[in-house]
Amino acid sequence: MSLASHVLLSDSRASLSHVTTARDANIYGYVSGALQLKMIDDAALVLAVRVAQGPAVTARVERMDFLAPVRVGDVLHAHADLMRTGRSSMQIRVEIYSERMGLMDFPILVGTATLVFVAVDSENKSRPLRSDASSLDEFAAEPGIAADAARR
């Protein structure tokens, strides 16, 4: 997919990082998958708000794969990329990398997810995206996504 020339790179990508601590660990000493889910949702939200130029809500997590365990002390990096847009929806892919400080020279991919966000108005009803964002590949969202998101 190629982005339209009038969509800025900053509008099609967002990144967040987090240094994991013992507070993020489960009883076995590994970082909880819930932290990865939170980072994925947060990174996707930052991107969705940029694209929507206003409020957006998570409508669906289409897929989430945990690829490797994360250890306390790892630095997690979540990178969100805009895949497609529809009238009010945005499909976003997020990858999470773990940087094992002092142990590896490069981060490893530990999780991936695909989410759908919907732009909403002040009454929590779906609203159209700005015209230049909608000119990206058309994304025909399944019926009910905007309605489900608006109920949240």
Side-chain angles (χ1 to χ4, degrees), residues 6 23 31-32 35 40 43 52 54 58 63 70 75 81 89 101 104 109 111 117 120 122 129 131 141 144-145:
H6 52 273
R23 221 160 61 153
V31 172
S32 168
L35 176 65
I40 283 168
T58 309
R63 182 177 180 109
V70 177
V75 179
D81 291 294
S89 62
M101 304 228 323
M104 301 179 99
L109 183 65
F117 275 72
V120 294
S122 61
L129 296 174
S131 60
I145 288 179

Side-chain angles (χ1 to χ4, degrees), residues 105-134:
D105 293 334
F106 54 90
I108 60 168
L109 183 65
V110 295
T112 62
T114 305
L115 302 91
V116 174
F117 275 72
V118 174
V120 294
D121 62 19
S122 61
E123 296 177 6
N124 294 323
K125 297 191 185 308
S126 67
R127 65 172 176 80
L129 296 174
R130 63 181 197 208
S131 60
D132 59 339
S134 297

Side-chain angles (χ1 to χ4, degrees), residues 68-86:
V70 177
R71 299 176 183 136
V72 170
D74 288 2
V75 179
L76 293 179
H77 305 281
H79 303 290
D81 291 294
L82 182 63
M83 304 304 291
R84 297 185 184 110
T85 62

Side-chain angles (χ1 to χ4, degrees), residues 9-15 45-54 130:
L9 181 58
S10 62
D11 287 345
S12 63
R13 175 160 247 213
S15 296
L45 174 64
V46 168
L47 179 55
V49 167
R50 284 180 187 165
V51 172
Q53 291 186 334
R130 63 181 197 208

Side-chain angles (χ1 to χ4, degrees), residues 36-37 40 63-68 93-94 110-114:
Q36 288 185 57
L37 288 169
I40 283 168
R63 182 177 180 109
M64 173 67 214
D65 293 303
F66 297 99
L67 305 174
R93 178 172 168 80
V94 182
V110 295
T112 62
T114 305

Side-chain angles (χ1 to χ4, degrees), residues 6 28 87 149:
H6 52 273
Y28 297 105
R87 188 187 77 75

